[in-house]
Amino acid sequence: MRLSVLDLVPVRTDQTTADAVAATVGLAQTADRLGFTRYWVAEHHNMPSVGATSPPVLIAYLAAQTTHLRLGSGGVMLPNHAPLAVAEQFALLEAAAPGRIDLGIGRAPGSDPVTSVLLRGAAGRDDRDIDQFPDYLDHVRAMMSAKGVQVQLRDGDYNLKATPAAAGEPRLWLLGSSMYSARLAAAKGLPYVFAHHFSGQGTEEALELYRSQFVPSELTAEPVTFLTVNAAVAETRTEATALMLPNLHMMARLRTGQPLGPVELVEDIDDARLTPQMRQVVDGGLRRAVVGSPAEAADQVRALAERFSVDEVMIHPVASAHRGTDPRTAPAREKTLELLAKELF
């Protein structure tokens, strides 16, 4: 089984952004050493607990400090950006780290409505760009190719390329958590990743739709997919659960409209502060996650892969830390990868 990693660059209460980025470097190097397949970073904006705001910047930084991993975006939220800018960024990354770059693209804003409006407005974009998302996918793909794309002007064709002399192209993936994204990936013959870690709702239906409606393309001859899952693994299930709860409490605040902050340390979690609605989010998150001892967690990963018929699972290691941990490290997140690799590789 192939294992990969999704990283949102979580920011704990004991960390600065610089600390969180340093911890991400350590986590990526751990994944590289252990033989994980790919390492993707997300795009989120204006969230106190998430340091991943610019996937191409992080990918470039990690590429210089790893050797084997495929590095990618999970994902670039395309309506926030001009397609040419995205194509140029990832064509350049592919040139710098040939054969190691994945471009995962999503349609969601990756933020709250106010931040989204300000972000898109600064880039000269608005919600009409969401409707043009399928066309923008095609534009990015064409501009990253060695041939580029022909733009028809009144006085003739104009050749537009993301990079002057491409020798290779990033692998393009479509990300989603809905039937819309599954249907679009199938129609365009793209690899597809379902964000199971985000909601866990509709995973089977979306993957079945994708596989049943898939149209082969020059990029992908047959359906290719995997899913993401939250994970915390420790020597005991009790410790793994304690390490996961700070992330789940943060998600509960997000889902119920409560004020957000950095990810709390294990010692600062107080279940008494949970409303019934928040408790429901936490309990649901525990049921969907990979959490437990190494043997338990490995069995859960195998069960997920079998249930959803995938041969790759992307682990989102969400374990927090205990008080006194070096802020520039994430030992429990690294341990999650180490313990899973020992059981599954």
Side-chain angles (χ1 to χ4, degrees), residues 230-275:
N230 293 331
V233 186
E235 296 300 339
T236 68
R237 183 177 181 85
T238 299
E239 175 64 7
T241 302
L243 289 164
M244 179 169 276
L245 283 177
N247 173 269
L248 294 178
H249 279 228
M250 182 269 295
M251 288 302 301
R253 291 192 294 272
L254 176 65
R255 297 284 176 83
T256 58
Q258 304 297 314
L260 300 178
V263 179
E264 294 177 292
L265 298 173
V266 171
E267 290 81 3
D268 296 330
I269 289 300
D270 182 3
D271 281 350
R273 291 180 294 180
L274 295 178
T275 65

Side-chain angles (χ1 to χ4, degrees), residues 78-125:
L78 189 53
N80 293 340
H81 311 283
L84 176 58
V86 174
E88 286 183 331
Q89 290 161 359
F90 280 81
L92 189 56
L93 286 169
E94 174 66 24
R100 295 183 59 202
I101 303 300
D102 292 331
L103 171 53
I105 289 180
R107 190 174 67 114
S111 187
D112 61 88
V114 174
T115 303
S116 180
V117 167
L118 293 173
L119 180 67
R120 292 178 181 175
R125 313 187 71 72

Side-chain angles (χ1 to χ4, degrees), residues 324-342:
T325 298
D326 181 347
R328 294 176 62 83
T329 67
R333 301 180 75 213
E334 293 183 18
K335 194 71 172 178
T336 290
L337 300 188
E338 290 170 349
L339 293 175
L340 280 176
K342 187 175 181 179

Side-chain angles (χ1 to χ4, degrees), residues 112-192:
D112 61 88
V114 174
T115 303
S116 180
V117 167
L118 293 173
L119 180 67
R120 292 178 181 175
R125 313 187 71 72
D126 57 36
D127 283 346
R128 288 173 296 181
D129 293 292
I130 296 176
D131 298 330
Q132 298 183 65
F133 179 72
D135 292 333
Y136 288 166
L137 271 176
D138 294 337
H139 297 165
V140 170
R141 173 183 168 185
M143 287 185 289
M144 290 191 305
S145 70
K147 293 186 298 184
V149 63
Q150 297 294 318
V151 180
Q152 294 183 345
L153 303 177
R154 288 183 178 179
D155 55 352
D157 290 342
Y158 181 83
N159 187 242
L160 184 60
K161 301 173 71 172
T163 189
E169 299 174 29
R171 183 73 185 275
L172 187 61
W173 297 75
L174 185 59
L175 281 57
S177 57
S178 68
M179 302 301 279
Y180 171 90
S181 57
R183 187 175 291 108
L184 182 61
K188 291 190 175 294
L190 292 174
Y192 177 59

